[in-house]
Amino acid sequence: MPDTSCDKTLPSLGELESARLSRPRYQLTIVFHPDLARIGERAALSFAAAQAEVVGRSSPVFSRPGESTVTCALDDPYISRCAFVIEQAQGGLRLQRESVASRCRVAGRDLVDALYLDGEELAAGVPLLLAHSIVLMLRCVTGEQPGACADCGMIGGSEALYHLREQVLRAASSDADVLLLGETGTGKELVAGAIHHHSRRAARPMISVNMAAVPAALAAASLFGASRGAYTGAARSQPGYFQQAEGGCLFLDEVGDTPEEVQPLLLRALQEREVQVVGGELRRIDVRVISATDVQLDDPDKLFRAALRHRLGALELQLPALRDHPEDIGELLLHFLRAALVKEASQLQLPNLDAAAIEVARWADLFYAFARYPWPGNVRQLGHFAARVVLAGGSQPVIPEELRSALRAHSASAQSEPPAQESGVAEVAKSRRRLVDIAEAEFREVMQDCEFEIATVAQALGVSRQSVYRRIQVSPDFRLAGDVPEVELQRSLRRCDGDLREVARDLRISHSALRARLRNTGPTA
């Protein structure tokens, strides 16, 4: 037999591709630059020719995703030619700064000499403030560098959004029903609109329905329509949402909050593509359904029918949270600021290349503050804070106090984590607090920071939920969702265009409690 002891089997193409895609790729993204057109440009750190990369005025070179032929360095006179050096070290990166170099802040800390960033920090994204004029996001990503793709109305050039745009275009080329999954504020209605806009049904209407606001008693008439005289007060035939969307698209928002009694009706309509008009005949329908939810439909406590869940999700798209693409914060913030400036006719002006250094510094600080925050409310929350910047500012940008407080709380939790052996003791001590010992000012601040969610407030204060309920009942400043008069609720729903999270903020009540109230009773006209 031939001697094969020295034969070596080469790795398969699949193994090579998997290894290539899983290899860490480090990049810098411009979150703020005095030349606003450069926000969103990025530079790949290859570490190819050497083990270190110099970051400064003349290197590295940045380009817009999909436009790699046009490159440019930061070219800012306030930044040293070598602001700092980045080296690969022990599964992370080591940042080294010379004492004579321009100032650099890393995630809220001054880079004095050297600083090590581990893989977890780099995966989350590390904001950098160079001198007083440039904000960068240093991040470790995997996969291919995003290329050119239709923007689909989405702001940002991150890998996460590139893949989401690809999925949107693939979904648009099909006529299958789509289920959008993602946290609140990730832009599910925008994605639904993009799918419809790029589909063959684009010329027909897209009708949006908030399923949490559809009361069980009126569900059949609301969804499928009612004929004249079908019930008391039905003076004329009323088309349902399915008929209104005929030939187009029906967007079922917050479908996870569909009342249990309504789910069989919805399932039958989707399976048979026909609806039973209340007091009338069966009608065939030609409608594409796109639904969205921020809850776990597979959770047994949700009482959501498995058959309906799978019928809704012939295609499923998972929308990324903003913390999964923090490199897009600069472009998003700039977009929202511009929109708010126009809407409010504000005298506040964005900077330009001729702006004074102090003005540039104020804007850089603002963008740096936004880049450091984890944004639990995602893109919607960022947009609201951007609007508050415009409303709060006169001729200068002002960071909203709510964001300052949130940043302080985030920094404290990140940098002052109690030792593992002490955490249990701290938790017990915290749980022993009495609500009567908590000042009204602290209670008010925590209620606002936690957006009036009872469970979150109780956890933050270290008291029971029953104690929070009792405090609200005797407080002149707060109330429960069930205590809001119906007339006031209706006014707020109209004022906020049905956006339940905005309604909750407007009324200063719990969003989850508001959803539960509407799910049980529905808004009455």
Side-chain angles (χ1 to χ4, degrees):
M1 294 180 63
D3 182 7
T4 60
S5 59
C6 294
D7 286 356
K8 296 177 67 176
T9 302
L10 295 175
S12 68
L13 291 177
E15 290 171 333
L16 289 172
E17 181 69 3
S18 177
R20 182 178 65 83
L21 292 178
S22 62
R23 189 182 305 127
R25 179 165 58 83
Y26 300 101
Q27 68 180 23
L28 287 165
T29 303
I30 298 178
V31 174
F32 176 79
H33 192 287
D35 181 358
L36 300 182
R38 301 203 56 192
I39 293 176
E41 291 183 8
R42 59 205 60 205
L45 304 179
S46 62
F47 299 102
Q51 290 300 308
E53 289 270 359
V54 174
V55 177
R57 186 189 312 167
S58 305
S59 63
V61 292
F62 291 78
S63 63
R64 183 75 52 185
E67 302 176 9
S68 57
T69 56
V70 181
T71 60
C72 187
L74 291 174
D75 196 26
D76 186 273
Y78 295 99
I79 297 175
S80 302
R81 292 187 181 278
C82 178
F84 60 91
V85 173
I86 304 179
E87 299 176 313
Q88 290 184 297
Q90 301 174 348
L93 295 178
R94 183 173 180 268
L95 277 57
Q96 178 81 40
R97 173 184 167 271
E98 295 293 334
S99 59
V100 295
S102 53
R103 185 187 184 192
C104 177
R105 289 182 64 78
V106 181
R109 298 166 287 178
D110 274 311
L111 180 58
V112 178
D113 181 12
L115 177 67
Y116 172 74
L117 300 171
D118 62 29
E120 185 176 344
E121 291 176 288
L122 291 163
V126 180
L128 312 172
L129 176 61
L130 277 60
H132 57 255
S133 50
I134 302 289
V135 180
L136 303 176
M137 182 68 71
L138 173 60
R139 190 159 186 244
C140 174
V141 295
T142 57
E144 291 289 339
Q145 181 77 18
C149 184
D151 64 23
C152 297
M154 302 176 202
I155 307 296
S158 64
E159 181 183 354
L161 283 194
Y162 174 75
H163 291 307
L164 179 59
R165 290 183 181 107
E166 285 190 320
Q167 293 179 69
V168 164
L169 294 176
R170 280 198 295 269
S173 67
S174 166
D175 206 37
D177 293 337
V178 182
L179 176 60
L180 305 178
L181 303 171
E183 296 178 9
T184 182
T186 50
K188 292 184 284 293
E189 187 163 5
L190 183 148
V191 170
I195 293 173
H196 178 64
H197 176 74
H198 288 86
S199 74
R200 68 173 182 83
R201 297 176 178 267
R204 302 294 296 166
M206 184 177 96
I207 303 298
S208 298
V209 183
N210 189 318
M211 294 303 294
V214 176
L218 301 177
S222 299
L223 291 170
F224 312 133
S227 60
R228 180 180 178 183
Y231 54 86
T232 303
R236 64 180 186 277
S237 296
Q238 181 70 37
Y241 295 126
F242 274 89
Q243 290 99 316
Q244 294 174 42
E246 178 65 25
C249 173
L250 181 61
F251 176 55
L252 304 179
D253 197 11
E254 300 194 49
V255 73
D257 292 315
T258 303
E260 193 176 357
E261 306 92 317
V262 178
Q263 294 179 31
L265 305 176
L266 189 56
L267 175 60
R268 186 183 186 284
L270 294 174
Q271 284 178 330
E272 306 300 331
R273 294 293 159 172
E274 62 181 20
V275 297
Q276 176 69 61
V277 178
V278 177
E281 72 283 359
L282 279 172
R283 286 188 184 175
R284 298 292 298 174
I285 52 170
D286 175 24
V287 173
R288 184 186 198 180
V289 175
I290 301 177
S291 52
T293 184
D294 60 358
V295 301
Q296 296 293 329
L297 298 181
D298 297 325
D299 186 342
D301 293 335
K302 283 302 299 176
L303 301 177
F304 197 87
R305 290 182 172 233
L308 177 57
R309 185 250 187 277
H310 295 301
R311 173 60 65 175
L312 289 168
L315 296 175
E316 288 189 12
L317 273 66
Q318 181 72 47
L319 276 64
L322 184 52
R323 63 180 173 274
D324 294 329
H325 54 114
E327 58 268 47
D328 292 325
I329 287 175
E331 290 179 89
L332 286 164
L333 177 54
L334 180 61
H335 167 77
F336 287 124
L337 285 171
R338 282 173 168 163
L341 287 169
V342 172
K343 179 180 178 182
E344 303 298 335
S346 173
Q347 62 177 336
L348 184 65
Q349 293 186 348
L350 292 168
N352 54 50
L353 289 173
D354 297 324
I358 186 64
E359 182 183 349
V360 170
R362 291 191 184 103
W363 282 105
D365 283 342
L366 176 77
F367 275 73
Y368 184 55
F370 273 68
R372 289 181 56 207
Y373 189 56
W375 300 108
N378 294 295
V379 177
R380 181 191 293 129
Q381 185 187 22
L382 187 148
H384 290 159
F385 272 88
R388 291 176 198 175
V389 168
V390 172
L391 290 171
S395 58
Q396 300 175 1
V398 176
I399 300 175
E401 182 55 38
E402 186 178 350
L403 178 57
R404 289 186 184 276
S405 299
L407 276 171
R408 285 194 294 268
H410 173 63
S411 298
S413 64
Q415 298 176 15
S416 305
E417 196 72 30
Q421 64 270 24
E422 297 178 7
S423 60
V425 176
E427 189 64 32
V428 170
K430 188 176 182 182
S431 66
R432 290 176 179 168
R433 292 187 76 186
R434 297 187 307 164
L435 198 58
V436 293
D437 297 330
I438 296 173
E440 186 64 27
E442 181 184 358
F443 182 72
R444 186 182 303 110
E445 182 179 357
V446 172
M447 282 284 286
Q448 292 172 344
D449 289 347
C450 297
E451 296 193 329
F452 317 105
E453 294 292 345
I454 305 301
T456 311
V457 171
Q459 184 178 19
L461 292 173
V463 299
S464 69
R465 281 182 286 184
Q466 289 76 14
S467 298
V468 177
Y469 278 118
R470 288 195 295 270
R471 182 71 168 257
I472 290 174
Q473 288 169 350
V474 299
S475 171
D477 299 323
F478 303 106
R479 56 187 170 175
L480 301 175
D483 297 332
V484 178
E486 184 65 30
V487 173
E488 185 180 355
L489 174 59
Q490 290 303 314
R491 281 201 302 264
S492 184
L493 282 166
R494 289 192 293 270
R495 186 164 55 245
C496 300
D497 294 326
D499 186 329
L500 296 189
R501 191 164 291 277
E502 278 301 296
V503 171
R505 290 195 183 99
D506 181 43
L507 298 174
R508 293 165 58 83
I509 58 175
S510 160
H511 172 241
S512 58
L514 173 62
R515 284 168 59 169
R517 170 175 170 170
L518 293 176
R519 184 165 61 245
N520 292 332
T521 64
T524 57

